[in-house]
Amino acid sequence: SCTTFEAAVYIRKWIRENIIYVLDKRSVLASETLAKREGMCTNKANLQIALCRACGIPAGYCLVHITKDAYEHDPLLDEVYDVISDPTIHCFCAVYDEKRNGFINFDATEKQWEDPHQNLLLDEDEESGASTYKEKYIVGPIGPVQSNIDTLLEYQGKSKISDLLRERQNDLYRVHYSKDTTPLPLNGRNKS
């Protein structure tokens, strides 16, 4: 038996380790993300929230604008990088922490590498487990916790990325984020 917070930690860890980051449609259901074992930030947040709520853990969605530079270290094809909006929206999960009597950011999007320098967007507060974001990538405040993001999920605007290009990119992500690999070298957009 574990506390609800320990269960939330386990769920986040499981998603980070078992759901590969790929580009997908925002409208993919949590059950589909679980079955495919892959998805982007919105898909991972949707699955994380569904699992937390199924365990009785209050959880919700948060949105924040991040700069395009958040992808500077990503194994991202130039053709994909060129069409990313700047800023772009990042979606993640927040969970209720009874000790702190409030929600904390609990992002499962990014795989956590052993070398913290490979963690591109996120850091983690060692005491609370809360996700913190590297300030150079954040544009404006983090939005409030929301019970749903149906308006965002239902938006069916035309993608700037063709299906063929998305699949080429996702093949690269699948190699980079598979469980048994080490991170790929940083790409040419690395500014450090």
Side-chain angles (χ1 to χ4, degrees), residues 68-140:
K68 184 175 181 170
D69 291 339
Y71 296 96
E72 68 187 356
H73 301 294
D74 226 13
L76 198 64
L77 297 170
D78 288 338
E79 305 98 307
V80 174
Y81 183 80
D82 291 344
V83 298
I84 294 173
S85 298
D86 195 17
T88 191
I89 294 175
H90 175 57
C91 177
F92 60 94
C93 171
V95 297
Y96 189 79
D97 182 0
E98 291 176 358
K99 285 184 186 175
R100 289 166 182 74
N101 196 28
F103 283 90
I104 61 171
N105 299 337
F106 226 61
D107 196 329
T109 302
E110 190 172 64
K111 179 175 180 176
Q112 298 295 288
W113 302 101
E114 287 185 31
D115 176 0
H117 294 95
Q118 289 291 337
N119 300 327
L120 308 177
L121 179 62
L122 300 173
D123 288 316
E124 227 169 74
D125 181 275
E126 290 195 26
E127 182 185 334
S128 69
S131 301
T132 58
Y133 299 89
K134 297 187 178 173
E135 288 187 29
K136 67 182 181 175
Y137 300 129
I138 301 300
V139 179

Side-chain angles (χ1 to χ4, degrees), residues 52-69:
C52 284
R53 289 176 177 175
C55 293
I57 303 165
Y61 299 89
C62 286
L63 301 172
V64 65
H65 284 95
I66 59 173
T67 68
K68 184 175 181 170
D69 291 339

